[in-house]
Amino acid sequence: MKKRLVSSILCAAMLTASIVGCGSAAPEKTAQAPAQTVEEAETPKADAPAATDEGSDKLVVGFAQIGQESGWRDAETMSIQTYAAEHSDTVELKFADAQQKQENQIKAIKSFIEQDVDVIGLAPVVETGWDQVFAEAQDAGIPIILLDRTADVDESLYATFIGSDFIEEGKEAAKQMAELIGGKGKIVELEGTVGASAATDRKTGFDEEIAANYPDIEIVASQTGDFTRAQGKEVMESFLKSNPDIVGVYAHNDDMALGAIEAIKEAGLKPGEDIVTVSVDGVKGIFEAMVAGEANCTVECNPLLGPLFFETAAKLKNGESVEKWVKSVDGVFTSDIAADVIDSRAY
Ligand code: AHR
């Protein structure tokens, strides 16, 4: 019965994916502009032209990426860079890798403003602290697109948010966890980056759903693993030492779940059986773990946002209106269907 439910969610997700131009076929790897560090993305040297789109009709977009903390993040970067490479006759991308630091994202945005790009995009590493630099972009007449993560600013300071409903993802993860453990038992939670909307909202959705509907499930420990596999493993090791009787782990992303699986195995237990896993993202690695019987469920979060990002940026350059939240609709995948769908996964 579950298989049928999951399949119908999957169909809805695939339909949506095709609407937003993020179909399930893997994007071809093409020659890409190399990723710039924030320093490289900064204002060009004195003898270089400041405004790169001057005299050209190209859409010039600056994107301040968070970094490379997860397979999901790499897939998003790939989606953005591949689109830009494939549309290099009409699009110019200035890409900055902020190496997990908000100050680097702010530096990159200031640099994009100086270079007078048409549109600025970013995935905010944390929610707060953006008011001033967004206001500077607004004063310069440059619209801001928030991609995949939200920022805690007045709505007037950005044009649109493109991404998933993280609270819903958390709620869905809680329902899947409850089903897997028969509605009772002690579980632990691996949180994402402190202050990131993806972490805050996935926690809120999950914890609220458990508190409201599953009185016999107890979240005995919850700690950040910063969305990385290494920290997911490290934190899980300490969870296992102080909570030997846990039956499940909820991780805010697949990479941390994959780290937790390593820790469970090293502790002499069977991931997927002794301790079940529910995580978020839908990366290839978690599908491999599900096929191997070592993971149980992933709630998808689509990272293939490049095409929609540039289409939206083009609309903004042309003065067209865009929705304030362009919501992704994602699927839910359990281990019983993992083998059937793994080959169609694009990331
Ligand atoms: O903002 C999306 C989250 O950020 C993804 O779930 C996670 O893997 C990433 O690093």
Side-chain angles (χ1 to χ4, degrees), residues 66 68-73 76 100 123-124 147-149 166 169 193 196-199 202 226-227 252-255 280-281 283 301:
I66 293 171
Q68 303 170 40
E69 76 277 14
S70 64
W72 188 98
R73 182 72 45 207
E76 184 188 62
Q100 262 64 46
L147 197 71
D148 102 63
R149 288 191 190 172
F166 295 137
E169 289 174 348
T193 303
S197 60
R202 284 173 186 165
D226 207 16
F227 281 130
H252 291 186
N253 80 346
D254 290 340
D255 278 55
V280 184
D281 275 358
V283 299
C301 179

PDB file of all heavy atoms in Angstrom, residues 66 68-73 76 100 123-124 147-149 166 169 193 196-199 202 226-227 252-255 280-281 283 301, ligand 1:
ATOM      1  N   ILE A  66      26.656  28.907  -1.414  1.00  0.00           N
ATOM      2  CA  ILE A  66      27.107  28.708  -0.029  1.00  0.00           C
ATOM      3  C   ILE A  66      28.502  28.086   0.006  1.00  0.00           C
ATOM      4  O   ILE A  66      29.389  28.556   0.704  1.00  0.00           O
ATOM      5  CB  ILE A  66      26.129  27.770   0.722  1.00  0.00           C
ATOM      6  CG1 ILE A  66      24.775  28.446   0.897  1.00  0.00           C
ATOM      7  CG2 ILE A  66      26.714  27.336   2.070  1.00  0.00           C
ATOM      8  CD1 ILE A  66      23.695  27.532   1.439  1.00  0.00           C
ATOM      9  N   GLN A  68      30.328  23.881  -0.664  1.00  0.00           N
ATOM     10  CA  GLN A  68      30.257  22.508  -1.198  1.00  0.00           C
ATOM     11  C   GLN A  68      30.035  21.503  -0.071  1.00  0.00           C
ATOM     12  O   GLN A  68      30.697  20.469  -0.004  1.00  0.00           O
ATOM     13  CB  GLN A  68      31.562  22.174  -1.920  1.00  0.00           C
ATOM     14  CG  GLN A  68      31.907  23.134  -3.032  1.00  0.00           C
ATOM     15  CD  GLN A  68      33.316  22.920  -3.559  1.00  0.00           C
ATOM     16  OE1 GLN A  68      33.761  21.800  -3.700  1.00  0.00           O
ATOM     17  NE2 GLN A  68      34.008  24.008  -3.827  1.00  0.00           N
ATOM     18  N   GLU A  69      29.099  21.844   0.847  1.00  0.00           N
ATOM     19  CA  GLU A  69      28.968  20.999   2.038  1.00  0.00           C
ATOM     20  C   GLU A  69      28.335  19.632   1.782  1.00  0.00           C
ATOM     21  O   GLU A  69      28.476  18.728   2.597  1.00  0.00           O
ATOM     22  CB  GLU A  69      28.180  21.756   3.120  1.00  0.00           C
ATOM     23  CG  GLU A  69      26.681  21.847   2.905  1.00  0.00           C
ATOM     24  CD  GLU A  69      26.252  22.977   1.976  1.00  0.00           C
ATOM     25  OE1 GLU A  69      27.100  23.554   1.283  1.00  0.00           O
ATOM     26  OE2 GLU A  69      25.048  23.276   1.944  1.00  0.00           O
ATOM     27  N   SER A  70      27.627  19.497   0.643  1.00  0.00           N
ATOM     28  CA  SER A  70      26.895  18.234   0.439  1.00  0.00           C
ATOM     29  C   SER A  70      26.789  17.889  -1.038  1.00  0.00           C
ATOM     30  O   SER A  70      26.992  18.738  -1.903  1.00  0.00           O
ATOM     31  CB  SER A  70      25.476  18.389   1.014  1.00  0.00           C
ATOM     32  OG  SER A  70      24.768  19.378   0.279  1.00  0.00           O
ATOM     33  N   GLY A  71      26.439  16.630  -1.300  1.00  0.00           N
ATOM     34  CA  GLY A  71      26.201  16.199  -2.672  1.00  0.00           C
ATOM     35  C   GLY A  71      25.058  16.993  -3.291  1.00  0.00           C
ATOM     36  O   GLY A  71      25.054  17.301  -4.482  1.00  0.00           O
ATOM     37  N   TRP A  72      24.072  17.325  -2.473  1.00  0.00           N
ATOM     38  CA  TRP A  72      22.926  18.111  -2.931  1.00  0.00           C
ATOM     39  C   TRP A  72      23.404  19.482  -3.425  1.00  0.00           C
ATOM     40  O   TRP A  72      22.992  19.948  -4.480  1.00  0.00           O
ATOM     41  CB  TRP A  72      21.943  18.298  -1.766  1.00  0.00           C
ATOM     42  CG  TRP A  72      20.640  18.917  -2.149  1.00  0.00           C
ATOM     43  CD1 TRP A  72      19.476  18.264  -2.396  1.00  0.00           C
ATOM     44  CD2 TRP A  72      20.359  20.319  -2.309  1.00  0.00           C
ATOM     45  NE1 TRP A  72      18.489  19.172  -2.715  1.00  0.00           N
ATOM     46  CE2 TRP A  72      19.012  20.429  -2.660  1.00  0.00           C
ATOM     47  CE3 TRP A  72      21.118  21.484  -2.195  1.00  0.00           C
ATOM     48  CZ2 TRP A  72      18.393  21.666  -2.902  1.00  0.00           C
ATOM     49  CZ3 TRP A  72      20.515  22.709  -2.443  1.00  0.00           C
ATOM     50  CH2 TRP A  72      19.173  22.795  -2.787  1.00  0.00           C
ATOM     51  N   ARG A  73      24.276  20.105  -2.658  1.00  0.00           N
ATOM     52  CA  ARG A  73      24.772  21.447  -3.014  1.00  0.00           C
ATOM     53  C   ARG A  73      25.551  21.378  -4.327  1.00  0.00           C
ATOM     54  O   ARG A  73      25.435  22.250  -5.187  1.00  0.00           O
ATOM     55  CB  ARG A  73      25.662  21.966  -1.875  1.00  0.00           C
ATOM     56  CG  ARG A  73      26.224  23.353  -2.039  1.00  0.00           C
ATOM     57  CD  ARG A  73      25.209  24.469  -1.889  1.00  0.00           C
ATOM     58  NE  ARG A  73      24.328  24.326  -0.769  1.00  0.00           N
ATOM     59  CZ  ARG A  73      23.090  24.844  -0.737  1.00  0.00           C
ATOM     60  NH1 ARG A  73      22.628  25.553  -1.752  1.00  0.00           N
ATOM     61  NH2 ARG A  73      22.306  24.656   0.310  1.00  0.00           N
ATOM     62  N   GLU A  76      23.166  21.275  -7.173  1.00  0.00           N
ATOM     63  CA  GLU A  76      22.572  22.590  -7.471  1.00  0.00           C
ATOM     64  C   GLU A  76      23.557  23.457  -8.255  1.00  0.00           C
ATOM     65  O   GLU A  76      23.198  24.107  -9.246  1.00  0.00           O
ATOM     66  CB  GLU A  76      22.168  23.293  -6.169  1.00  0.00           C
ATOM     67  CG  GLU A  76      21.455  24.625  -6.438  1.00  0.00           C
ATOM     68  CD  GLU A  76      21.215  25.419  -5.174  1.00  0.00           C
ATOM     69  OE1 GLU A  76      22.210  25.799  -4.502  1.00  0.00           O
ATOM     70  OE2 GLU A  76      20.049  25.673  -4.839  1.00  0.00           O
ATOM     71  N   GLN A 100      31.042  28.432   2.805  1.00  0.00           N
ATOM     72  CA  GLN A 100      30.250  28.310   4.040  1.00  0.00           C
ATOM     73  C   GLN A 100      30.216  29.569   4.894  1.00  0.00           C
ATOM     74  O   GLN A 100      29.739  29.534   6.011  1.00  0.00           O
ATOM     75  CB  GLN A 100      30.779  27.155   4.918  1.00  0.00           C
ATOM     76  CG  GLN A 100      30.029  25.847   4.784  1.00  0.00           C
ATOM     77  CD  GLN A 100      30.113  25.241   3.414  1.00  0.00           C
ATOM     78  OE1 GLN A 100      31.178  25.171   2.824  1.00  0.00           O
ATOM     79  NE2 GLN A 100      28.975  24.818   2.880  1.00  0.00           N
ATOM     80  N   ALA A 123      21.921  31.491  -2.291  1.00  0.00           N
ATOM     81  CA  ALA A 123      21.330  30.543  -1.345  1.00  0.00           C
ATOM     82  C   ALA A 123      21.865  30.983   0.013  1.00  0.00           C
ATOM     83  O   ALA A 123      23.026  30.706   0.336  1.00  0.00           O
ATOM     84  CB  ALA A 123      21.785  29.127  -1.675  1.00  0.00           C
ATOM     85  N   PRO A 124      21.075  31.705   0.805  1.00  0.00           N
ATOM     86  CA  PRO A 124      21.626  32.276   2.050  1.00  0.00           C
ATOM     87  C   PRO A 124      22.067  31.188   3.036  1.00  0.00           C
ATOM     88  O   PRO A 124      21.267  30.344   3.439  1.00  0.00           O
ATOM     89  CB  PRO A 124      20.449  33.069   2.629  1.00  0.00           C
ATOM     90  CG  PRO A 124      19.471  33.223   1.514  1.00  0.00           C
ATOM     91  CD  PRO A 124      19.657  32.044   0.614  1.00  0.00           C
ATOM     92  N   LEU A 147      17.514  31.494  -3.758  1.00  0.00           N
ATOM     93  CA  LEU A 147      17.406  30.169  -4.343  1.00  0.00           C
ATOM     94  C   LEU A 147      17.588  29.118  -3.256  1.00  0.00           C
ATOM     95  O   LEU A 147      18.604  29.120  -2.560  1.00  0.00           O
ATOM     96  CB  LEU A 147      18.469  29.980  -5.438  1.00  0.00           C
ATOM     97  CG  LEU A 147      18.204  28.821  -6.390  1.00  0.00           C
ATOM     98  CD1 LEU A 147      17.031  29.149  -7.311  1.00  0.00           C
ATOM     99  CD2 LEU A 147      19.433  28.506  -7.236  1.00  0.00           C
ATOM    100  N   ASP A 148      16.652  28.266  -3.098  1.00  0.00           N
ATOM    101  CA  ASP A 148      16.590  27.093  -2.218  1.00  0.00           C
ATOM    102  C   ASP A 148      16.520  27.393  -0.728  1.00  0.00           C
ATOM    103  O   ASP A 148      15.956  26.613   0.004  1.00  0.00           O
ATOM    104  CB  ASP A 148      17.675  26.053  -2.588  1.00  0.00           C
ATOM    105  CG  ASP A 148      18.923  26.021  -1.698  1.00  0.00           C
ATOM    106  OD1 ASP A 148      18.795  25.733  -0.504  1.00  0.00           O
ATOM    107  OD2 ASP A 148      20.015  26.245  -2.234  1.00  0.00           O
ATOM    108  N   ARG A 149      17.092  28.502  -0.247  1.00  0.00           N
ATOM    109  CA  ARG A 149      16.937  28.854   1.172  1.00  0.00           C
ATOM    110  C   ARG A 149      16.369  30.259   1.314  1.00  0.00           C
ATOM    111  O   ARG A 149      16.702  31.135   0.511  1.00  0.00           O
ATOM    112  CB  ARG A 149      18.278  28.796   1.900  1.00  0.00           C
ATOM    113  CG  ARG A 149      18.781  27.391   2.111  1.00  0.00           C
ATOM    114  CD  ARG A 149      19.956  27.386   3.056  1.00  0.00           C
ATOM    115  NE  ARG A 149      20.583  26.080   3.076  1.00  0.00           N
ATOM    116  CZ  ARG A 149      21.722  25.818   3.688  1.00  0.00           C
ATOM    117  NH1 ARG A 149      22.359  26.782   4.338  1.00  0.00           N
ATOM    118  NH2 ARG A 149      22.239  24.607   3.668  1.00  0.00           N
ATOM    119  N   PHE A 166      10.359  23.601   3.469  1.00  0.00           N
ATOM    120  CA  PHE A 166      11.149  22.798   4.404  1.00  0.00           C
ATOM    121  C   PHE A 166      10.321  22.312   5.594  1.00  0.00           C
ATOM    122  O   PHE A 166      10.603  21.255   6.164  1.00  0.00           O
ATOM    123  CB  PHE A 166      12.343  23.607   4.922  1.00  0.00           C
ATOM    124  CG  PHE A 166      13.356  23.975   3.864  1.00  0.00           C
ATOM    125  CD1 PHE A 166      13.903  25.256   3.823  1.00  0.00           C
ATOM    126  CD2 PHE A 166      13.788  23.057   2.932  1.00  0.00           C
ATOM    127  CE1 PHE A 166      14.858  25.597   2.868  1.00  0.00           C
ATOM    128  CE2 PHE A 166      14.739  23.383   1.969  1.00  0.00           C
ATOM    129  CZ  PHE A 166      15.274  24.657   1.941  1.00  0.00           C
ATOM    130  N   GLU A 169       8.635  19.262   4.472  1.00  0.00           N
ATOM    131  CA  GLU A 169       9.605  18.157   4.400  1.00  0.00           C
ATOM    132  C   GLU A 169       9.787  17.528   5.784  1.00  0.00           C
ATOM    133  O   GLU A 169       9.826  16.302   5.929  1.00  0.00           O
ATOM    134  CB  GLU A 169      10.958  18.662   3.893  1.00  0.00           C
ATOM    135  CG  GLU A 169      10.963  19.039   2.417  1.00  0.00           C
ATOM    136  CD  GLU A 169      12.285  19.675   1.972  1.00  0.00           C
ATOM    137  OE1 GLU A 169      13.118  20.029   2.831  1.00  0.00           O
ATOM    138  OE2 GLU A 169      12.470  19.826   0.761  1.00  0.00           O
ATOM    139  N   THR A 193      22.920  23.136   9.314  1.00  0.00           N
ATOM    140  CA  THR A 193      23.682  24.311   9.758  1.00  0.00           C
ATOM    141  C   THR A 193      22.838  25.209  10.675  1.00  0.00           C
ATOM    142  O   THR A 193      21.706  25.566  10.321  1.00  0.00           O
ATOM    143  CB  THR A 193      24.129  25.119   8.523  1.00  0.00           C
ATOM    144  OG1 THR A 193      24.884  24.253   7.685  1.00  0.00           O
ATOM    145  CG2 THR A 193      24.947  26.332   8.907  1.00  0.00           C
ATOM    146  N   ALA A 196      20.354  28.174   9.474  1.00  0.00           N
ATOM    147  CA  ALA A 196      19.927  28.028   8.078  1.00  0.00           C
ATOM    148  C   ALA A 196      18.437  27.703   8.039  1.00  0.00           C
ATOM    149  O   ALA A 196      17.950  26.905   8.852  1.00  0.00           O
ATOM    150  CB  ALA A 196      20.713  26.909   7.398  1.00  0.00           C
ATOM    151  N   SER A 197      17.720  28.279   7.075  1.00  0.00           N
ATOM    152  CA  SER A 197      16.272  28.012   7.006  1.00  0.00           C
ATOM    153  C   SER A 197      16.002  26.529   6.815  1.00  0.00           C
ATOM    154  O   SER A 197      15.038  25.992   7.368  1.00  0.00           O
ATOM    155  CB  SER A 197      15.630  28.829   5.885  1.00  0.00           C
ATOM    156  OG  SER A 197      16.203  28.492   4.628  1.00  0.00           O
ATOM    157  N   ALA A 198      16.857  25.850   6.046  1.00  0.00           N
ATOM    158  CA  ALA A 198      16.637  24.418   5.797  1.00  0.00           C
ATOM    159  C   ALA A 198      16.718  23.617   7.094  1.00  0.00           C
ATOM    160  O   ALA A 198      16.019  22.612   7.251  1.00  0.00           O
ATOM    161  CB  ALA A 198      17.662  23.898   4.791  1.00  0.00           C
ATOM    162  N   ALA A 199      17.548  24.050   8.019  1.00  0.00           N
ATOM    163  CA  ALA A 199      17.675  23.344   9.302  1.00  0.00           C
ATOM    164  C   ALA A 199      16.546  23.744  10.254  1.00  0.00           C
ATOM    165  O   ALA A 199      15.879  22.888  10.847  1.00  0.00           O
ATOM    166  CB  ALA A 199      19.030  23.652   9.925  1.00  0.00           C
ATOM    167  N   ARG A 202      13.115  22.389   8.884  1.00  0.00           N
ATOM    168  CA  ARG A 202      12.997  20.915   8.900  1.00  0.00           C
ATOM    169  C   ARG A 202      12.860  20.420  10.336  1.00  0.00           C
ATOM    170  O   ARG A 202      12.207  19.418  10.594  1.00  0.00           O
ATOM    171  CB  ARG A 202      14.203  20.270   8.214  1.00  0.00           C
ATOM    172  CG  ARG A 202      14.126  20.371   6.696  1.00  0.00           C
ATOM    173  CD  ARG A 202      15.367  19.888   5.988  1.00  0.00           C
ATOM    174  NE  ARG A 202      15.268  20.158   4.559  1.00  0.00           N
ATOM    175  CZ  ARG A 202      16.287  20.119   3.710  1.00  0.00           C
ATOM    176  NH1 ARG A 202      17.493  19.820   4.143  1.00  0.00           N
ATOM    177  NH2 ARG A 202      16.106  20.378   2.434  1.00  0.00           N
ATOM    178  N   ASP A 226      25.896  20.139  10.756  1.00  0.00           N
ATOM    179  CA  ASP A 226      26.285  21.137   9.750  1.00  0.00           C
ATOM    180  C   ASP A 226      26.097  20.669   8.296  1.00  0.00           C
ATOM    181  O   ASP A 226      26.800  21.138   7.394  1.00  0.00           O
ATOM    182  CB  ASP A 226      27.748  21.563   9.978  1.00  0.00           C
ATOM    183  CG  ASP A 226      28.009  22.972   9.453  1.00  0.00           C
ATOM    184  OD1 ASP A 226      27.030  23.706   9.202  1.00  0.00           O
ATOM    185  OD2 ASP A 226      29.182  23.332   9.278  1.00  0.00           O
ATOM    186  N   PHE A 227      25.182  19.760   8.067  1.00  0.00           N
ATOM    187  CA  PHE A 227      24.854  19.275   6.722  1.00  0.00           C
ATOM    188  C   PHE A 227      26.000  18.485   6.074  1.00  0.00           C
ATOM    189  O   PHE A 227      25.979  18.266   4.868  1.00  0.00           O
ATOM    190  CB  PHE A 227      24.450  20.424   5.786  1.00  0.00           C
ATOM    191  CG  PHE A 227      23.039  20.916   5.948  1.00  0.00           C
ATOM    192  CD1 PHE A 227      22.766  22.282   6.098  1.00  0.00           C
ATOM    193  CD2 PHE A 227      21.974  20.035   5.927  1.00  0.00           C
ATOM    194  CE1 PHE A 227      21.449  22.744   6.227  1.00  0.00           C
ATOM    195  CE2 PHE A 227      20.657  20.489   6.052  1.00  0.00           C
ATOM    196  CZ  PHE A 227      20.396  21.843   6.208  1.00  0.00           C
ATOM    197  N   HIS A 252      18.659  15.965   8.779  1.00  0.00           N
ATOM    198  CA  HIS A 252      18.130  17.045   7.936  1.00  0.00           C
ATOM    199  C   HIS A 252      18.665  16.978   6.502  1.00  0.00           C
ATOM    200  O   HIS A 252      18.213  17.725   5.660  1.00  0.00           O
ATOM    201  CB  HIS A 252      18.460  18.413   8.543  1.00  0.00           C
ATOM    202  CG  HIS A 252      17.722  18.713   9.812  1.00  0.00           C
ATOM    203  ND1 HIS A 252      17.784  19.938  10.446  1.00  0.00           N
ATOM    204  CD2 HIS A 252      16.905  17.954  10.585  1.00  0.00           C
ATOM    205  CE1 HIS A 252      17.049  19.922  11.546  1.00  0.00           C
ATOM    206  NE2 HIS A 252      16.500  18.722  11.649  1.00  0.00           N
ATOM    207  N   ASN A 253      19.697  16.172   6.257  1.00  0.00           N
ATOM    208  CA  ASN A 253      20.049  15.884   4.855  1.00  0.00           C
ATOM    209  C   ASN A 253      20.657  14.493   4.723  1.00  0.00           C
ATOM    210  O   ASN A 253      21.030  13.861   5.722  1.00  0.00           O
ATOM    211  CB  ASN A 253      20.932  16.982   4.222  1.00  0.00           C
ATOM    212  CG  ASN A 253      22.403  16.892   4.591  1.00  0.00           C
ATOM    213  OD1 ASN A 253      22.788  16.176   5.511  1.00  0.00           O
ATOM    214  ND2 ASN A 253      23.228  17.633   3.866  1.00  0.00           N
ATOM    215  N   ASP A 254      20.715  14.030   3.478  1.00  0.00           N
ATOM    216  CA  ASP A 254      21.185  12.662   3.225  1.00  0.00           C
ATOM    217  C   ASP A 254      22.654  12.494   3.598  1.00  0.00           C
ATOM    218  O   ASP A 254      23.070  11.422   4.053  1.00  0.00           O
ATOM    219  CB  ASP A 254      21.021  12.305   1.739  1.00  0.00           C
ATOM    220  CG  ASP A 254      19.560  12.153   1.328  1.00  0.00           C
ATOM    221  OD1 ASP A 254      18.704  11.945   2.211  1.00  0.00           O
ATOM    222  OD2 ASP A 254      19.293  12.242   0.116  1.00  0.00           O
ATOM    223  N   ASP A 255      23.462  13.529   3.350  1.00  0.00           N
ATOM    224  CA  ASP A 255      24.889  13.385   3.644  1.00  0.00           C
ATOM    225  C   ASP A 255      25.115  13.053   5.130  1.00  0.00           C
ATOM    226  O   ASP A 255      25.940  12.196   5.461  1.00  0.00           O
ATOM    227  CB  ASP A 255      25.660  14.662   3.270  1.00  0.00           C
ATOM    228  CG  ASP A 255      25.993  14.703   1.781  1.00  0.00           C
ATOM    229  OD1 ASP A 255      25.054  14.576   0.972  1.00  0.00           O
ATOM    230  OD2 ASP A 255      27.184  14.826   1.424  1.00  0.00           O
ATOM    231  N   VAL A 280      16.594  13.855   4.263  1.00  0.00           N
ATOM    232  CA  VAL A 280      16.015  14.749   3.250  1.00  0.00           C
ATOM    233  C   VAL A 280      17.044  14.987   2.150  1.00  0.00           C
ATOM    234  O   VAL A 280      18.242  15.116   2.441  1.00  0.00           O
ATOM    235  CB  VAL A 280      15.627  16.116   3.869  1.00  0.00           C
ATOM    236  CG1 VAL A 280      14.930  17.007   2.835  1.00  0.00           C
ATOM    237  CG2 VAL A 280      14.742  15.941   5.086  1.00  0.00           C
ATOM    238  N   ASP A 281      16.618  15.050   0.928  1.00  0.00           N
ATOM    239  CA  ASP A 281      17.401  15.448  -0.261  1.00  0.00           C
ATOM    240  C   ASP A 281      17.113  14.549  -1.461  1.00  0.00           C
ATOM    241  O   ASP A 281      16.735  15.027  -2.507  1.00  0.00           O
ATOM    242  CB  ASP A 281      18.920  15.462  -0.037  1.00  0.00           C
ATOM    243  CG  ASP A 281      19.423  16.775   0.557  1.00  0.00           C
ATOM    244  OD1 ASP A 281      18.584  17.686   0.752  1.00  0.00           O
ATOM    245  OD2 ASP A 281      20.618  16.894   0.839  1.00  0.00           O
ATOM    246  N   VAL A 283      19.666  12.299  -2.731  1.00  0.00           N
ATOM    247  CA  VAL A 283      20.895  12.155  -3.533  1.00  0.00           C
ATOM    248  C   VAL A 283      21.146  10.675  -3.846  1.00  0.00           C
ATOM    249  O   VAL A 283      20.630   9.777  -3.172  1.00  0.00           O
ATOM    250  CB  VAL A 283      22.138  12.771  -2.834  1.00  0.00           C
ATOM    251  CG1 VAL A 283      21.955  14.262  -2.602  1.00  0.00           C
ATOM    252  CG2 VAL A 283      22.463  12.053  -1.531  1.00  0.00           C
ATOM    253  N   CYS A 301      14.254  16.801  -2.118  1.00  0.00           N
ATOM    254  CA  CYS A 301      14.316  18.265  -2.184  1.00  0.00           C
ATOM    255  C   CYS A 301      15.069  18.555  -3.475  1.00  0.00           C
ATOM    256  O   CYS A 301      16.261  18.277  -3.573  1.00  0.00           O
ATOM    257  CB  CYS A 301      15.062  18.812  -0.968  1.00  0.00           C
ATOM    258  SG  CYS A 301      15.232  20.606  -0.937  1.00  0.00           S
TER     259      CYS A 301
HETATM  260  O1  AHR B   1      19.246  24.192   1.469  1.00  0.00           O
HETATM  261  C1  AHR B   1      19.162  22.872   1.087  1.00  0.00           C
HETATM  262  C2  AHR B   1      20.048  22.014   1.938  1.00  0.00           C
HETATM  263  O2  AHR B   1      21.366  22.480   1.905  1.00  0.00           O
HETATM  264  C3  AHR B   1      20.172  20.578   1.495  1.00  0.00           C
HETATM  265  O3  AHR B   1      19.225  19.747   2.074  1.00  0.00           O
HETATM  266  C4  AHR B   1      21.494  20.229   2.036  1.00  0.00           C
HETATM  267  O4  AHR B   1      21.991  18.998   1.610  1.00  0.00           O
HETATM  268  C5  AHR B   1      22.235  21.417   1.631  1.00  0.00           C
HETATM  269  O5  AHR B   1      23.496  21.502   1.988  1.00  0.00           O
END
